[in-house]
Amino acid sequence: MRNFENIGRIKIFIKDPNKKSFLKIIKEVFILVITKKEIPFYYFKYLYRKDVKNYLDYLSTGEVNAIGSSPLLHKPEYKSLLENKLFFALLSEKSPLNTPKLISYNLGNTFYYNNTVKQIYNKSDLVRFFEQVFTVNNLEGLFFRPPSEYGGKGVFKLTRTGLKNELDVRFDSLINGYYVHTKIIEQHKEINKIHNKSVSTLRIISLITSENHPEIISVFMRFGVGDSVIDNASSGGFFVGVNIDEGTLKDTGHYLSQYGGAKIKKHPDSGFIFEGFKVPYFKEACEEVLKGIIVIPNRFIGWDVAITPNGPIIVEANSNPHLQISNIVNGGLLKNPHIKKLLEELKQQSNL
């Protein structure tokens, strides 16, 4: 699968009319090899474009990996809470964080609900199980996520009205898999104007500096397309940077290179123009993330935050967020003084 993706990216690079001249590309790649001390494959995902002048301000693959794997930034105990959505949901139930309500979950055919454990072997029993869950909790649907998957892989919904037909499709994967079942998030009506088929989440990246001060270093917003129920760029959606000081969307949306790498100014379905859109409850979303750092004081976290009619809600958190996306929306993360200082800290640590 990875080879097919790489071939697709090469085709996009070759056909892109916006790429720099061949000689300029050779020169910049050579400089990156010298300065970054690695073969800069990442250059051919985005930095080869004519409009990217400051290519040295972008984190390299090695620098991204250094941040993602550093024991200075990630304690194993915190990392396990962040990487497993079930662990995170169970912890959140006992914390002041505002997160989607955990209704039930399953580990294979063993289902956990309301302090009871039930083993289910056939579709009829599973229908009865969820009918009870919907009735007792007065729900019209549930959202299902595998505890350890990324990029929105494996997620789906079950609805009260379509339950039997939906389980015809989902029964085998559900009964043989592991899923967290949460209340479906109601999205703020202003964000629904941009796209209402999926919940569009903010990715807010937090850093605890070496001086033990929490900082928000990057924010972007992800949007789905078509009828997809997920917003992740790695699953075919796109992302738009957010001006942190104003809480507004920047003017350009980006697809990842494996999905063509196109830039857009408005949502392809609704036609909604991004520039200047003020994200509702943005300040509160940042404050919720700062609360999250107190609950899980991992030094580097990517928080996924949805905006409901009543305020922000943390959907999940990640110890190794997609920094190349932050690279793109910020025009190079090395322009951020906290990131530059962080890399200096990691370099000093590695030389000890």
Side-chain angles (χ1 to χ4, degrees), residues 19 21 30 56 89 113 115 118 151 153 167 178 200-201 227 250 275 309 334 340:
K19 62 177 174 290
S21 70
F30 178 76
L56 287 171
Y113 167 66
N115 296 321
K118 183 177 180 63
K153 295 178 181 176
L167 282 179
Y178 307 89
S200 302
T201 56
D227 292 327
K250 296 182 179 181
E275 185 174 16
L334 285 173
K340 289 190 72 171

Side-chain angles (χ1 to χ4, degrees), residues 20 28 32 42-43 45-49 52 55 58:
K20 299 168 184 174
E28 291 182 352
L32 285 172
Y42 67 97
Y43 179 90
K45 293 182 179 180
Y46 183 74
L47 303 186
Y48 67 87
R49 299 179 177 190
V52 180
Y55 64 97
Y58 288 72

Side-chain angles (χ1 to χ4, degrees), residues 187-188 190-192 194-195 198-204 218-224 231-233 237-243 247-250 252-254 267 274 277-282 285 303-308 325-326 329:
Q187 182 163 257
H188 196 285
E190 291 301 311
I191 299 175
N192 277 335
I194 304 177
H195 186 66
S198 62
V199 175
S200 302
T201 56
L202 295 164
R203 168 62 61 87
I204 302 177
S218 173
V219 184
F220 57 87
M221 196 164 194
R222 300 173 300 186
F223 295 93
D231 64 342
N232 299 73
F238 63 90
F239 51 95
V240 183
V242 176
N243 298 299
T248 57
L249 292 185
K250 296 182 179 181
T252 304
H254 306 261
H267 196 284
F274 307 129
F277 173 78
K278 190 167 183 61
V279 180
Y281 294 113
F282 181 75
W303 304 86
D304 293 346
V305 183
I307 306 298
T308 76
I325 290 181
S326 290
V329 300

Side-chain angles (χ1 to χ4, degrees), residues 201-234:
T201 56
L202 295 164
R203 168 62 61 87
I204 302 177
I205 297 180
S206 66
L207 167 69
I208 300 175
T209 68
S210 57
E211 294 84 14
N212 201 35
H213 189 270
E215 295 284 349
I216 290 174
I217 62 168
S218 173
V219 184
F220 57 87
M221 196 164 194
R222 300 173 300 186
F223 295 93
V225 294
D227 292 327
S228 175
V229 299
I230 55 178
D231 64 342
N232 299 73
S234 56

Side-chain angles (χ1 to χ4, degrees), residues 119-161:
Q119 288 190 310
I120 295 177
Y121 298 97
N122 57 65
K123 180 189 167 187
S124 297
D125 286 346
L126 192 57
V127 168
R128 283 193 289 271
F129 172 82
F130 282 121
E131 284 178 340
Q132 179 190 10
V133 170
F134 288 147
T135 300
V136 172
N137 293 277
N138 193 27
L139 297 174
E140 294 302 318
L142 283 172
F143 196 72
F144 293 74
R145 292 178 295 155
S148 301
E149 290 287 355
Y150 298 92
K153 295 178 181 176
V155 306
F156 62 91
K157 292 180 182 178
L158 290 180
T159 63
R160 189 172 192 168
T161 55

Side-chain angles (χ1 to χ4, degrees), residues 92 98 101 108 135 188 224 229 293 352:
S92 298
N98 188 21
K101 181 174 176 56
T135 300
H188 196 285
V229 299
I293 298 172
L352 292 180

